[in-house]
Amino acid sequence: MKLTDETVRGFRVAKIFRENADRVSSIDFSANGDTLISSSDDDSIVIYDCLSGTPKRTLNSKKYGVDLIRYTHAVNTALHCSTKVDDTIRYLSLHDNKYIRYFPGHTKKVVTLCMSPTDDTFISGSMDKTIRLWDLRSQNCQGLMHLTGRPVAAFDPEGLIFGAGVNSESVKLYDLRSFDKGPFATFKLPQDKECDWTGLKFSPDGKLILISTNGSVIRLIDAFHGTPLQTFVGFQNHRGIPLEASFTPDSQFVFGGSTDGKVHCWSTETGAKIAILQSDHPGPIQNLQFNPKYMMMASACTNMAFWLPCVDD
């Protein structure tokens, strides 16, 4: 099944889960698309089975809290940030709910965490104005960069370069093998006066970079030249909260949430709005991702919703 404007407009909420007592703070699909993991402000980690559409397991992290949960390459391990005690990143075995390793170093809240798509490298960025590079096999930081403001960061699909958004005004691209030499490209963008950048993602085909904010604007730029391509607007975000936006696996569409519980979809090529979809979310949709392998989408406020295309006869 191919994603078309028509298919996108046909997406409907197929299932709603009420596993959490508080806001879902992050979600991540496994690379094979079979499961989805989520973290919540209620200190719980919920794993969902995407094939059967059921909650699979719930783990608790009462001591450290949990945020920015990310699968590693093994589906039975994950990385997450902490909301209590300190700002150490933790590497968790989901199989027996035990910590494999701790990654200390950040001194303020970690606001960006991204696993390399190809190996054991991961990247983190914090309100302490640093970006750190790590390897899952060592608790020692492999690289440290000092910035002038809040960072957002992500790997490209090949895992060869990473992009860092700094101070909500410039995107810097680094070669992973020689990042200590500084960025090989810097794209300066017009600064958003009303909002801060809160997320950065490469498109699955590696050609585009998506910048999400805590305002009512999402930006799309060319990943090679930094040229501004599209500005996605027309969704609600009155509260200044970070709303996640995501590409579809074919890089043709961008989906984003809103504070009024609607899901918006745009074409990456034309910038046109393709659909506004109604959800049953009682709160702001802060997390939204498209499954990398299956025709489904997940969105979350305090509830989790699974979306599927509804094909009319």
Side-chain angles (χ1 to χ4, degrees), residues 66-112:
V66 56
D67 192 15
L68 296 180
I69 196 149
R70 304 284 181 256
Y71 274 115
T72 64
H73 294 293
V75 288
N76 55 356
T77 58
L79 281 171
H80 73 76
C81 302
S82 321
T83 56
K84 304 171 186 175
V85 186
D86 58 21
D87 297 291
T88 296
I89 297 163
R90 295 180 160 80
Y91 180 21
L92 177 67
S93 163
L94 301 168
H95 167 65
D96 51 9
N97 199 17
K98 286 194 171 72
Y99 288 108
I100 301 167
R101 197 162 284 119
Y102 298 98
F103 303 96
H106 285 301
T107 54
K108 286 189 177 164
K109 183 178 166 66
V110 177
V111 289
T112 188

Side-chain angles (χ1 to χ4, degrees), residues 132-161:
R132 288 174 181 264
L133 273 169
W134 309 84
D135 188 301
L136 282 176
R137 295 163 295 195
S138 161
Q139 64 168 26
N140 302 320
C141 168
Q142 309 288 304
L144 172 64
M145 290 155 52
H146 291 275
L147 309 166
T148 51
R150 176 195 172 124
V152 288
F155 286 98
D156 81 317
E158 259 98 60
L160 299 173
I161 65 170

Side-chain angles (χ1 to χ4, degrees), residues 122-136:
F122 69 94
I123 192 169
S124 62
S126 154
M127 294 304 258
D128 63 15
K129 299 181 183 173
T130 64
I131 282 181
R132 288 174 181 264
L133 273 169
W134 309 84
D135 188 301
L136 282 176

Side-chain angles (χ1 to χ4, degrees), residues 21-81:
D22 212 329
R23 177 185 78 100
V24 173
S25 55
S26 67
I27 64 176
D28 192 37
F29 279 104
S30 59
N32 63 9
D34 290 357
T35 61
L36 174 80
I37 196 165
S38 71
S39 67
S40 166
D41 292 348
D42 64 12
D43 304 332
S44 72
I45 296 164
V46 183
I47 302 166
Y48 296 89
D49 186 318
C50 297
L51 303 180
S52 63
T54 53
K56 208 170 163 177
R57 280 185 75 192
T58 299
L59 308 170
N60 289 307
S61 176
K62 296 287 181 208
K63 185 176 175 185
Y64 302 114
V66 56
D67 192 15
L68 296 180
I69 196 149
R70 304 284 181 256
Y71 274 115
T72 64
H73 294 293
V75 288
N76 55 356
T77 58
L79 281 171
H80 73 76
C81 302

Side-chain angles (χ1 to χ4, degrees), residues 53 108 114 168 225 248 262 300:
K108 286 189 177 164
C114 186
S168 302
H225 310 291
T248 50
K262 292 187 175 80

